[in-house]
């Protein structure tokens, strides 16, 4: 039933795995940080992550119950904020820990960091990402219309 999707997902996962191994090998050869044989020390772990991710994707594609659970509004919002979260979490964590660590309780520092990360990520998503996506769609539409009018 899912043989095409399953095989393409496995192919993508394995190609990402091979790309990461090749990239790490090139970096180590160019910069000489370790021996080339050390490159494959984590390859079993990476392969496990790729297989696990492939299995999770297949499971989600094949089960309506899991798809319904994953369409929870909080999970959807977190998915929408994921790029902003990715871009902002390290700078915010560094600033918050630099300013507050040792002055107040670690639990409070972590709570403040998470609150700032999610708040700023939401604002970035709402005021930067969404307008940028609209501009991109408008530009793509204008480009497609201009190309279409040139071919007609």
């Amino acid at each position: 039933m899912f043989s095409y999707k399953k095989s393409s997902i496995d192919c993508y996962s394995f190609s990402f795995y091979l790309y990461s191994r090749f990239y790490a090998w090139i970096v180590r050869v160019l910069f000489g940080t370790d021996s080339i044989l050390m490159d494959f020390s984590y390859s079993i772990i990476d392969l496990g992550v790729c297989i696990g991710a492939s299995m999770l994707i297949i499971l989600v594609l094949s089960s309506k119950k899991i798809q319904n659970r994953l369409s929870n509004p909080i999970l959807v919002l977190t998915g929408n904020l994921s790029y902003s979260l990715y871009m902002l979490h390290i700078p915010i964590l560094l600033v918050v820990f630099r300013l507050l660590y040792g002055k107040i309780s670690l639990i409070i520092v972590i709570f403040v960091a998470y609150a700032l990360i999610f708040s700023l990520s939401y604002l970035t998503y709402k005021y930067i990402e969404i307008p940028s996506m609209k501009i991109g769609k408008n530009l793509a539409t204008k480009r497609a219309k201009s190309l279409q009018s040139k071919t007609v």
Side-chain angles (χ1 to χ4, degrees):
M1 180 172 153
F2 288 100
S3 62
Y4 175 73
K5 288 180 183 178
K6 181 181 181 295
S7 64
S8 63
I9 291 168
D10 290 341
C11 183
Y12 286 128
S13 299
F14 191 66
S15 64
F16 286 132
Y17 164 75
L18 288 178
Y19 176 76
S20 68
R21 293 292 91 212
F22 177 71
Y23 178 74
W25 180 80
I26 292 294
V27 168
R28 289 187 181 186
V29 167
L30 290 176
F31 299 109
T33 56
D34 283 323
S35 72
I36 295 172
L37 295 175
M38 293 297 291
D39 177 49
F40 296 103
S41 60
Y42 293 105
S43 61
I44 298 299
I45 295 170
D46 293 342
L47 184 59
V49 169
C50 288
I51 291 171
S54 297
M55 291 173 61
L56 180 64
I57 291 169
I58 292 166
L59 183 66
V60 169
L61 289 175
S62 64
S63 172
K64 281 287 185 197
K65 186 177 182 180
I66 294 174
Q67 288 176 5
N68 290 338
R69 294 226 175 151
L70 289 177
S71 44
N72 177 333
I74 293 172
L75 293 177
V76 171
L77 177 64
T78 304
N80 288 335
L81 297 179
S82 64
Y83 183 71
S84 296
L85 289 169
Y86 166 72
M87 293 299 290
L88 296 175
H89 79 281
I90 292 295
I92 292 172
L93 282 173
L94 290 174
V95 168
V96 168
F97 272 81
R98 177 79 172 170
L99 293 175
L100 300 178
Y101 185 70
K103 296 176 183 168
I104 58 176
S105 170
L106 181 62
I107 299 296
I108 296 172
V109 171
I110 292 171
F111 178 76
V112 167
Y114 273 97
L116 277 174
I117 290 168
F118 275 90
S119 300
L120 291 176
S121 294
Y122 178 76
L123 292 173
T124 302
Y125 175 73
K126 186 173 182 178
Y127 294 110
I128 295 174
E129 285 185 51
I130 291 175
S132 298
M133 288 186 278
K134 287 180 182 177
I135 290 170
K137 285 180 184 177
N138 288 339
L139 290 174
T141 304
K142 287 178 185 177
R143 172 87 173 145
K145 286 180 182 178
S146 69
L147 288 175
Q148 190 177 29
S149 65
K150 288 179 183 178
T151 58
V152 172

